[in-house]
């Protein structure tokens, strides 16, 4: 569930977009297999595969538009991150949220970037024909089972077991790279990446609003890397631009992704503590893992015992259906979306307990407080993963196809180096999630291709307009210090707003305060005082009767 990180670049090309002959985008109805909101319209735009080599041919971008609800002032472009999130699917799902954040006075335009979905060409990257082929390929490796360790790699035999997998996993990832190159879209891999995507956005803007017009953009998560490359390659085109859930482009371009995953996890264990704190505050009626009178430490102890039971079961029989490593990955994914915590702890967690109980040598049921669980309300999960056009459930490799192709082209890193980083990150940064595996980010050292164009800086150009940067104080993958670094680098050209909340991007929890700030900026260009802090909405209950501020207050009191 870890998504993203780094890059670099040795590009000499930047500034000037090659002029396209004026293109008219024909808007019409959307493909109903992908978009079912009939108020949205769709279209296509052809662009050069390589903006510096027209002989490479053309790409075709699938576009989507939500009309402004008020008096139209132009267009806001949107990217949902991932990388690999589908602009089409996302706009279909959260059109109203996006119209709210932009005051309703802009058309919202999203698109499936190169490598995404099955309408844009080149589309989604699949390196296996079927899920079964993928599973057979990785059979017997940590790719399928996760990493078994008890937290902090305290047992030397867990460390040894991991290092024993290093030559196997390295060979697998190298072979994977060859498979991807030989896949149907393999010959396009070098044309997929953030630099091309930035130029594509400019091409779409040129076609819609005219060459040279200001470009308004809302980028979340990996979409902020698109944003950083955009505002530095085309500073004169910067209109109103919002980043939310920030990747630091300098760190990305100067550090090897696979070796620095832990640096993104500085808040991750804190968010886990928030989850168990919220569970304890809600009590047995609101959270299945809480007994009457339980504090956060008691709930934490149950989760740890569940992980330990799964770990012991795997030691007794390596073929168990669910491992502690897999539970860790699942729990890590939850941290992105507090709106899902109640559902997770009341419906998913009890099932995990049952599964582990079935495989464990010893009884596990005390780990679960209540057997009679009343399903609680479930709120929309806005996580940024949505795969279009998956055939036979084959996993998508679009994330590494974009992120690794953008990242530094380092040679000679071994899987042993990567595992050393995993162990150090687990011990020093995130005891709970440093060992979460797999993550596409670990594939970058072995990825066979880099994009024909990458942008490595400078990242302190002066944009034509000031931008707005938003970050949760606790984000599991794009931590606040990265947003601060980007704001610092932009100096007077960026205002940073923090939200006292948890999850990935400020959209993870509803906040009228954030929404008003973004809308005021988008509509009038009004920026709040630098350093403004927003709260999540007080009536947003993470668990029954427990709001974000209650969790934060108790976290400070000692938490888990
Ligand atoms: C549209 O798709 C979403 C899932 O993407 C689904 O939840 C919803 O029910 C669908 N709506 C209609 C009208 O088909
Ligand atoms: C969106 O706006 C355009 C231009 O104003 C209009 O032609 C079109 O009918 C609108 N589409 C919808 C679905 O309302
Ligand atoms: C995985 O390997 C085991 C033997 O190590 C074999 O029994 C099993 O059939 C394999 N599974 C797949 C999906 O290839
Ligand atoms: C470490 O793991 C090994 C192998 O699973 C086990 O035999 C040993 O008891 C463990 N040591 C500790 C201190 O838990
Ligand atoms: C190990 O677990 C697998 C999968 O649940 C099961 O089929 C097998 O019988 C177990 N082996 C032993 C020795 O219990
Ligand atoms: C495209 O993807 C959607 C969603 O996964 C699927 O329903 C549709 O059949 C796909 N279309 C094609 C042409 O593959
Ligand atoms: C992180 O942990 C490793 C042990 O795995 C240790 O050698 C290293 O010094 C630590 N690094 C930092 C920056 O604390
Ligand atoms: C806002 O504050 C940040 C520090 O958090 C600073 O880096 C940035 O330059 C400030 N921006 C303005 C416009 O003062
Ligand atoms: C949010 O939680 C705090 C602390 O428990 C409480 O004082 C406040 O009333 C709650 N707000 C709402 C709207 O429930």
């Amino acid at each position: 569930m870890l998504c993203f990180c780094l890059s670099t670049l040795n590009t000499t090309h930047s500034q000037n977009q090659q002029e396209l002959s004026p293109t008219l985008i024909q808007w019409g109805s959307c493909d109903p297999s992908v978009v079912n909101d009939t108020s949205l319209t769709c279209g296509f735009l052809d662009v050069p595969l390589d903006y510096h080599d027209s002989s490479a041919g053309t790409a075709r971008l699938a576009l989507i538009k939500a009309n402004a609800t008020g008096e139209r002032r132009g267009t806001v472009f949107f990217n949902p991150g991932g990388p690999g999130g589908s602009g089409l699917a996302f706009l279909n799902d959260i059109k109203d949220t996006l119209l709210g954040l932009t005051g309703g006075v802009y058309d919202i335009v999203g698109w499936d970037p190169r490598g995404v979905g099955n309408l844009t060409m080149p589309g989604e990257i699949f390196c296996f024909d079927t899920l079964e082929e993928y599973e057979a390929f990785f059979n017997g490796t940590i790719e399928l089972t996760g990493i078994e360790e008890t937290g902090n790699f305290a047992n030397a035999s867990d460390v040894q077991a991991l290092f024993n997998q290093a030559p196997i996993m390295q060979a697998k990832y190298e072979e994977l790279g060859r498979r991807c190159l030989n896949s149907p879209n393999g010959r396009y891999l070098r044309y997929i990446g953030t630099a091309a995507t930035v130029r594509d956005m400019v091409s779409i803007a040129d076609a819609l609003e005219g060459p040279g017009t200001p470009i308004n953009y809302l980028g979340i998560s990996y979409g902020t890397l698109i944003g950083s490359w955009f505002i530095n390659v085309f500073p004169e085109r910067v209109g109103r631009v919002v980043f939310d859930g920030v990747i630091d482009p300098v760190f990305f371009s100067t550090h090897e992704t696979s070796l620095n995953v832990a640096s993104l996890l500085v808040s991750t264990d804190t968010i886990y503590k928030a989850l168990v704190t919220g569970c304890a505050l809600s009590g047995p009626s609101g959270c299945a893992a809480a007994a009457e009178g339980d504090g956060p430490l008691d709930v934490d102890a149950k989760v740890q015992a569940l992980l330990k039971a799964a770990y012991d079961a795997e030691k007794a029989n390596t073929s168990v259906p669910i491992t502690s490593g897999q539970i860790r990955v699942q729990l890590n994914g939850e941290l992105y979306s507090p709106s899902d915590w109640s559902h997770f702890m009341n419906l998913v967690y009890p099932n995990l307990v049952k599964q582990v109980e079935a495989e464990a040598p010893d009884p596990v049921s005390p780990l679960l407080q209540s057997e009679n669980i009343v399903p609680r309300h479930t709120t929309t999960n806005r996580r940024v993963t949505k795969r279009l056009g998956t055939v036979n459930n084959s996993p998508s490799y679009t994330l590494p196809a974009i992120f690794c192709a953008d990242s530094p082209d380092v040679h000679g890193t071994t899987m042993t180096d990567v595992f050393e980083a995993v162990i150090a990150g687990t011990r020093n940064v995130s005891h709970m999630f440093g060992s979460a595996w797999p993550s596409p980010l670990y594939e970058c050292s072995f990825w066979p291709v880099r994009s024909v164009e990458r942008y490595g800086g400078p990242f302190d150009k002066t944009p034509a307009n000031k931008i707005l940067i938003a970050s949760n104080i606790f984000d599991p993958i794009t931590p606040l210090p990265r947003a601060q670094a980007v704001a610092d680098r932009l100096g007077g050209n960026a205002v940073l707003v923090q939200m006292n909340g948890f999850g990935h991007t400020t959209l993870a929890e509803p906040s009228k305060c954030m929404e008003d700030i973004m809308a005021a900026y988008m509509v009038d260009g009004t920026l709040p005082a630098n350093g403004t802090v927003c709260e999540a909405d007080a009536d947003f209950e993470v668990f029954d009767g427990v709001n974000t501020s209650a969790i934060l207050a108790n976290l400070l009191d000692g938490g888990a």
Side-chain angles (χ1 to χ4, degrees):
M1 222 323 127
L2 309 172
C3 305
F4 21 100
C5 309
L6 271 228
S7 133
T8 72
L9 335 302
N10 45 0
T11 176
T12 46
H13 341 281
S14 0
Q15 326 58 10
N16 291 322
Q17 181 92 28
Q18 156 182 330
E19 286 281 319
L20 293 169
S21 44
T23 321
L24 191 63
I25 297 166
Q26 296 283 350
W27 294 103
S29 57
C30 297
D31 181 332
S33 74
V34 177
V35 172
N36 66 10
D37 180 338
T38 53
S39 76
L40 297 166
T41 51
C42 288
F44 291 93
L45 181 67
D46 289 346
V47 291
L49 259 182
D50 181 343
Y51 280 87
H52 307 287
D53 176 7
S54 57
S55 73
T58 55
R60 165 162 287 201
L61 304 173
L63 317 179
I64 188 166
K65 179 171 66 155
N67 274 1
T69 48
E71 197 176 325
R72 183 183 181 281
R73 298 195 189 173
T75 296
V76 173
F77 292 90
F78 170 70
N79 178 280
S86 163
L88 272 59
F90 231 79
L91 199 55
N92 188 54
D93 286 355
I94 64 161
K95 174 192 73 175
D96 294 337
T97 302
L98 294 171
L99 284 167
L101 294 177
T102 54
V105 298
Y106 296 94
D107 293 344
I108 315 281
V109 170
W111 75 105
D112 281 358
R114 298 150 183 246
V116 176
N118 60 6
L119 297 173
T120 281
M121 304 282 285
E124 201 82 13
I125 304 301
F126 297 106
C127 307
F128 298 95
D129 291 337
T130 62
L131 180 63
E132 290 70 29
E133 195 184 328
Y134 159 83
E135 286 178 343
F137 181 82
F138 282 115
N139 192 16
T141 71
I142 57 170
E143 196 75 359
L144 301 184
T145 61
I147 292 173
E148 291 306 289
E149 56 97 17
T150 51
N152 275 351
F153 284 96
N155 190 326
S157 65
D158 291 337
V159 173
Q160 194 52 52
L162 182 59
F163 283 128
N164 289 346
Q165 287 243 335
I168 301 165
M169 284 304 291
Q170 180 163 340
K172 286 290 176 193
Y173 278 10
E174 286 167 353
E175 174 65 16
L176 171 69
R178 288 189 286 273
R179 289 187 73 104
C180 296
L181 271 179
N182 291 328
S183 73
N185 281 331
R187 70 201 156 106
Y188 298 116
L189 288 178
R190 55 210 218 96
Y191 304 120
I192 290 173
T194 302
T197 288
V198 165
R199 293 188 186 281
D200 288 345
M201 177 168 74
V202 172
S203 295
I204 302 167
D206 288 351
L208 282 178
E209 303 286 340
T213 49
I215 297 175
N216 307 309
Y217 174 69
L218 171 57
I220 67 174
S221 186
Y222 155 78
T224 68
L225 190 66
I226 297 176
S228 276
W229 288 25
F230 163 60
I231 68 172
N232 286 286
V233 178
F234 296 98
E236 75 286 357
R237 297 294 297 271
V238 174
R240 301 204 175 129
V241 171
V242 176
F243 294 176
D244 186 352
V246 178
I247 293 179
D248 179 355
V250 170
F251 191 90
F252 180 77
S253 65
T254 52
H255 290 71
E256 192 173 358
T257 305
S258 313
L259 301 179
N260 290 282
V261 172
S263 71
L264 303 172
L265 308 181
V266 296
S267 300
T268 314
D269 283 10
T270 304
I271 304 169
Y272 164 74
K273 289 177 188 171
L275 186 153
V276 297
T277 301
C279 177
L281 288 172
S282 192
S285 68
C287 182
E292 203 60 55
D294 270 1
L297 286 169
D298 302 303
V299 176
D300 171 51
K302 287 176 201 173
V303 175
Q304 301 298 347
L306 176 68
L307 289 166
K308 182 63 164 56
Y311 170 92
D312 289 342
E314 197 274 347
K315 293 290 166 211
N317 177 354
T318 53
S319 316
V320 291
I322 187 157
T323 66
S324 74
Q326 291 164 338
I327 297 174
R328 232 177 253 287
V329 167
Q330 215 175 331
L331 203 48
N332 192 6
E334 273 312 302
L335 303 181
Y336 286 50
S337 303
S339 60
D340 197 53
W341 290 358
S342 174
H343 165 256
F344 180 79
M345 290 308 284
N346 287 304
L347 291 174
V348 182
Y349 173 83
N351 270 325
L352 291 172
V353 172
K354 286 200 185 86
Q355 280 178 277
V356 172
E357 186 153 54
E359 67 188 27
D362 303 316
V364 176
S365 42
L367 302 179
L368 181 61
Q369 175 49 30
S370 154
E371 289 292 341
N372 299 319
I373 290 115
V374 184
R376 308 231 68 93
H377 63 280
T378 57
T379 19
T380 322
N381 184 338
R382 296 190 219 160
R383 197 172 309 146
V384 192
T385 53
K386 193 139 205 182
R387 295 291 160 216
L388 295 179
T390 301
V391 179
N392 299 324
N393 293 319
S394 173
S396 165
Y397 280 88
T398 288
L399 194 156
I402 295 172
F403 221 50
C404 298
D406 286 340
S407 75
D409 195 5
V410 175
H411 298 273
T413 298
T414 65
M415 195 59 81
T416 299
D417 300 331
V418 173
F419 287 168
E420 276 168 359
V422 166
I423 292 167
T426 303
R427 289 184 175 153
N428 301 342
V429 180
S430 174
H431 304 324
M432 279 293 284
F433 304 106
S435 64
W437 192 289
S439 157
L441 305 185
Y442 293 117
E443 288 156 20
C444 290
S445 298
F446 312 97
W447 192 252
V449 205
R450 292 298 181 271
S451 302
V452 292
E453 182 182 4
R454 290 177 290 160
Y455 182 70
F459 287 104
D460 56 359
K461 299 267 191 73
T462 301
N465 276 293
K466 291 185 184 188
I467 76 161
L468 176 63
I469 299 177
S471 176
N472 278 348
I473 53 166
F474 298 120
D475 185 302
I477 192 72
T478 53
L480 175 62
R482 298 299 169 89
Q484 286 165 331
V486 170
D488 286 349
R489 208 172 292 121
L490 289 168
N493 293 305
V495 161
L496 176 65
V497 181
Q498 300 175 27
M499 184 163 99
N500 277 333
F502 309 105
H504 184 39
T505 82
T506 71
L507 299 182
E509 298 187 303
S511 169
K512 183 82 168 55
C513 167
M514 270 317 305
E515 188 178 327
D516 288 348
I517 284 174
M518 287 188 189
Y521 169 68
M522 277 295 180
V523 175
D524 300 319
T526 311
L527 281 162
N530 199 21
T532 295
V533 177
C534 278
E535 304 299 328
D537 289 349
D539 62 359
F540 167 64
E541 297 189 353
V542 179
F543 289 95
D544 215 26
V546 178
N547 62 24
T548 304
S549 65
I551 295 176
L552 279 168
N554 286 277
L555 257 190
L556 298 177
D557 284 350

